[in-house]
Amino acid sequence: MPADFVVVIPSRLKSTRLPDKPLADIAGKPMVVRVAEQAARSRAGRVVVATDHPRILAACSEHGVEAVMTAADHPSGTDRLAEVADLLALADGQIIVNVQGDEPLIEPGVIDCVAAALDDSDAPMSTAAHPLDNAADFFSPNVVKVVLDRHNRALYFSRAPLPWARDAFATDRSVLPADHPALRHVGIYAYRAGFLRQYRELSPAPIESIEALEQLRVLWHGFPITVATLAGAPAPGVDTPDDLERVRRLFAAR
C-alpha cells in the first residue's frame, strides 16, 4: 500500500439531470463534502476538491475540506486534475486518485485498492473493474467492459459485449457462460502526477470519440493502464433525483 497518495475530487456545479448536484444536502452536509469525508477514511495523505465554482469552494471551506479553484473550461476531468497537480506543486511521482464528486457512498477500500495497483506497477495509470455475471448488463452499451492481459493491464475498453463467447452466444445470449471473464469497468482512476502533465499534450484518439470513452486515449497512445479487479460492484453514484433520495434514506438510516 502506498504510504502517501492524494485524492482529488473534481466537482463542477453544472448538472443537466440534477441541478447544483455537488451542493445537494445529504443529512445536513453537501454531497461533495460527504464524498470528501469518505475519501478521508482511505489511506490518502491528502484529500482535495477541485472545483470551478465559488459556491462549492465556500461549502468545502465551511466544513473544513481542502479545495482549490480551477479553470471552468477544461475539456475533461483528467485535464482538471492536471491543473491541480500544478496548483499543488506535486512531484511527478506522486500518485493521485481521481474520485468522482457524486459518489458519497464510495468505499475507502476501493480508493486504496486503485492506489495500490498503481504503486505496484510501472504503468502511469490504474483503474478498477469487477466481474459481470448478468447478461443484460453485458450486452448493454451503457455498461463499459474491459478486457485484460495476463498482467492485469487493459487491452481494451468498450461499450460492446467483450469478450465475445462465439460458441456459447451462437445458441443462447440470455446467460453468460460459467467461465466467461466479463469485467465491468469502474470509473475510478489513479495517475502519477507527471503523466497527468503529459496527458494534456496527447491528441484525442479516433477510438475515444467513437466509443465516447476518454481512457482509450491513453491506450491509443501506447501507455499501459493497470486494472485492479474488485470482488464485487461498488456502491453506485448519484445521477438522478431518485438516486439522491436513495442515498438520503441510507444516510438517515445510519
Side-chain angles (χ1 to χ4, degrees):
M1 180 60 61
D4 180 41
F5 61 91
V6 177
V7 168
V8 176
I9 305 170
S11 183
R12 298 176 65 243
L13 192 65
K14 185 177 181 181
S15 173
T16 55
R17 287 187 288 183
L18 193 57
D20 296 352
K21 180 165 67 169
L23 300 177
D25 181 84
I26 298 177
K29 294 181 181 180
M31 183 189 306
V32 68
V33 171
R34 291 297 186 186
V35 176
E37 289 177 340
Q38 285 295 98
R41 293 174 55 207
S42 74
R43 299 194 183 191
R46 190 175 184 182
V47 176
V48 183
V49 171
T51 185
D52 63 351
H53 203 282
R55 288 178 59 197
I56 297 175
L57 192 72
C60 290
S61 177
E62 180 182 350
H63 292 277
V65 174
E66 183 179 4
V68 294
M69 283 291 293
T70 58
D73 58 351
H74 285 301
S76 71
T78 310
D79 292 281
R80 192 176 305 279
L81 258 66
E83 182 185 357
V84 174
D86 290 341
L87 289 172
L88 302 182
L90 300 179
D92 282 348
Q94 176 71 66
I95 291 176
I96 300 172
V97 180
N98 179 4
V99 173
Q100 297 302 312
D102 58 2
E103 297 194 22
L105 299 176
I106 189 167
E107 300 162 17
V110 172
I111 299 172
D112 292 336
C113 188
V114 174
L118 185 56
D119 192 51
D120 292 338
S121 168
D122 59 358
M125 177 177 169
S126 66
T127 188
H130 69 83
L132 259 179
D133 56 11
N134 182 289
D137 287 341
F138 181 71
F139 287 102
S140 171
N142 297 319
V143 174
V144 178
K145 277 70 68 175
V146 59
V147 179
L148 308 184
D149 69 11
R150 67 190 183 99
H151 300 295
N152 294 317
R153 292 183 170 185
L155 289 170
Y156 193 65
F157 297 87
S158 183
R159 298 181 184 279
L162 296 176
W164 185 261
R166 185 194 64 175
D167 295 340
F169 291 152
T171 57
D172 186 2
R173 299 184 187 179
S174 64
V175 296
L176 298 181
D179 59 347
H180 194 66
L183 290 173
R184 179 178 191 161
H185 177 234
V186 177
I188 182 172
Y189 300 95
Y191 309 85
R192 302 188 196 279
F195 179 68
L196 282 172
R197 296 181 175 106
Q198 189 175 6
Y199 178 91
R200 290 181 295 197
E201 309 304 320
L202 299 180
S203 60
I207 55 174
E208 171 190 359
S209 59
I210 290 171
E211 292 259 21
L213 296 175
E214 181 188 341
Q215 64 269 33
L216 288 174
R217 183 183 310 186
V218 177
L219 297 184
W220 192 80
H221 282 278
F223 295 97
I225 301 175
T226 293
V227 181
T229 301
L230 310 175
V238 175
D239 291 322
T240 67
D242 287 343
D243 293 337
L244 179 58
E245 289 307 312
R246 170 181 52 81
V247 170
R248 282 171 169 166
R249 288 194 296 270
L250 287 172
F251 271 84
R254 292 178 179 178

